[in-house]
Amino acid sequence: MPQRHSKNNNDLAFFTYDEKKKLGYGTQKERLGKDSIKPFDACSLCLKPFIDPLCCQKGHIFCKECILECLLSQKKDIQRKLAAHTSQLKQEKDEEEEKLMLQKARELDAFDQQNHGALPQYSNKNFNRDKTGFHGANSVKTTSYEAEALRTMKAFWLPSATPEAPVKVNAPSTSTTCPEGKENLKMKSLFSIRFTEDTHEEKKASALDKTYICPSCKVTLTNTLSLVSLSSCGHVFCKKCADKFVAVDKVCLVCNKGCKERNMINLVKGGTGFAGHGDNLEANDFKHLGSGSGLGLVRPAMKT
């Protein structure tokens, strides 16, 4: 029985569907595993279990030491950029004043030449030639003009006169930003969060790391659950309990402290430059064939 022609046809000027599949043509999808997702109890900067956690108004969790060091380095960088910008403004002002002085000197020289011509001037006693007053071809002022013209001349064949592109330092923003959400972040907007640790004897003896539970329903907190923190007191609940009890009673279920709807902050699932986050935890790889090469050229997958 003859074999299928579509599977063995290799004399076509284009690739068949089976050949494209073997070369990896098309969109390849892969579900991200547990190792590709940041745990909810890890710092977004050091990617380690947090110590004295602080949370921003967008729900990103950081270690206290990590976020303080990040904000301090941002402030130092802002001060350095402000100093460079101030120095540039001062330099531009000095250059503008120098140009105005040169322009005035040229206008005075032109007025002097128009009234006195090219006649030499002599001193009162020795009748020596005043080099600074003579405006001939060999005068000092003319030489200074030539030096100025040579300095400002745009000549690519002279290394000393090669033009350089001016480096402009724009005025930097004076506000620090969140390293995760890229929104403006101040130290006073951060608040401490408090997780309820599971103190059950069996789980505590078998588990190597700390296990956190919801103080209302006693469910173990994982990355699969949506978490809500109260900025008024810092206690963390699962979203189901927060919507069912906290949002209705307007009070924390642990410390009985009053809270408002704006105090309920949704904690971000995972999310760093090295880990996936959100609900769409799927990596896509788009491939297309190169012209005439037969090799698959890969475009980077969209960040999830």
Side-chain angles (χ1 to χ4, degrees):
M1 182 177 178
Q3 296 180 353
R4 295 182 61 182
H5 181 70
S6 62
K7 295 292 184 180
N8 297 277
N9 187 16
N10 55 6
D11 59 348
L12 297 177
F14 54 88
F15 289 106
T16 61
Y17 176 77
D18 184 67
E19 291 170 342
K20 289 180 180 180
K21 294 292 290 183
K22 290 181 179 179
L23 288 172
Y25 176 81
T27 302
Q28 298 180 352
K29 297 182 180 180
E30 183 179 356
R31 182 75 177 179
L32 297 179
K34 182 180 179 181
D35 296 336
S36 300
I37 305 171
K38 182 184 78 68
F40 73 95
D41 58 346
C43 174
S44 298
L45 291 176
C46 64
L47 304 181
K48 297 179 181 179
F50 47 63
I51 301 174
D52 295 333
L54 295 178
C55 183
C56 67
Q57 298 298 324
K58 296 295 183 180
H60 300 105
I61 304 176
F62 309 96
C63 294
K64 185 175 183 179
E65 182 179 357
C66 295
I67 191 61
L68 288 180
E69 184 178 356
C70 178
L71 294 179
L72 182 61
S73 62
Q74 289 186 29
K75 289 183 178 179
K76 290 182 178 180
D77 191 33
I78 290 172
Q79 292 178 357
R80 180 184 60 81
K81 291 181 179 180
L82 282 175
H85 182 65
T86 305
S87 176
Q88 179 183 343
L89 292 179
K90 183 178 179 181
Q91 182 179 359
E92 291 178 354
K93 184 178 180 180
D94 294 342
E95 290 178 355
E96 189 67 24
E97 291 178 355
E98 184 179 356
K99 288 181 180 179
L100 291 176
M101 292 177 61
L102 288 175
Q103 183 66 23
K104 290 181 179 180
R106 289 174 182 174
E107 292 177 357
L108 290 175
D109 291 341
F111 179 78
D112 193 18
Q113 288 182 6
Q114 183 179 4
N115 287 276
H116 299 282
L119 296 176
Q121 297 180 0
Y122 300 95
S123 62
N124 295 331
K125 294 182 179 180
N126 299 327
F127 299 97
N128 293 328
R129 194 172 182 176
D130 188 8
K131 295 182 179 180
T132 59
F134 181 68
H135 302 288
N138 297 325
S139 66
V140 176
K141 290 186 177 180
T142 305
T143 306
S144 64
Y145 290 154
E146 292 178 355
E148 178 68 19
L150 181 62
R151 188 175 66 85
T152 58
M153 182 176 60
K154 304 298 185 292
F156 63 89
W157 59 88
L158 294 177
S160 60
T162 303
E164 296 181 357
V167 179
K168 293 290 185 181
V169 180
N170 298 326
S173 176
T174 57
S175 59
T176 54
T177 59
C178 177
E180 278 296 309
K182 303 304 179 183
E183 71 274 359
N184 293 339
L185 178 64
K186 295 183 179 180
M187 188 61 200
K188 63 181 180 181
S189 64
L190 296 171
F191 62 93
S192 300
I193 57 176
R194 289 182 280 181
F195 285 88
T196 304
E197 188 176 352
D198 188 5
T199 57
H200 196 271
E201 295 181 358
E202 296 180 358
K203 291 187 176 181
K204 189 174 182 181
S206 60
L208 298 177
D209 299 330
K210 294 182 179 180
T211 304
Y212 301 105
I213 61 175
C214 175
S216 176
C217 60
K218 307 301 180 181
V219 173
T220 303
L221 302 182
T222 60
N223 274 10
T224 58
L225 295 176
S226 297
L227 306 180
V228 176
S229 176
L230 303 181
S231 60
S232 56
C233 58
H235 289 105
V236 179
F237 301 89
C238 64
K239 188 171 178 59
K240 185 183 294 184
C241 293
D243 294 340
K244 189 175 181 180
F245 302 110
V246 180
V248 176
D249 299 336
K250 305 295 182 182
V251 66
C252 178
L253 301 178
V254 179
C255 60
N256 293 327
K257 186 175 182 179
C259 64
K260 297 181 180 180
E261 187 176 357
R262 65 171 181 268
N263 298 126
M264 301 176 61
I265 307 299
N266 294 322
L267 299 183
V268 178
K269 296 180 181 179
T272 63
F274 306 95
H277 63 89
D279 297 327
N280 186 20
L281 300 174
E282 190 176 51
N284 295 328
D285 195 18
F286 304 96
K287 293 187 178 181
H288 63 279
L289 297 178
S291 57
S293 64
L295 302 176
L297 303 179
V298 182
R299 291 182 293 171
M302 300 296 291
K303 291 183 179 181
T304 58

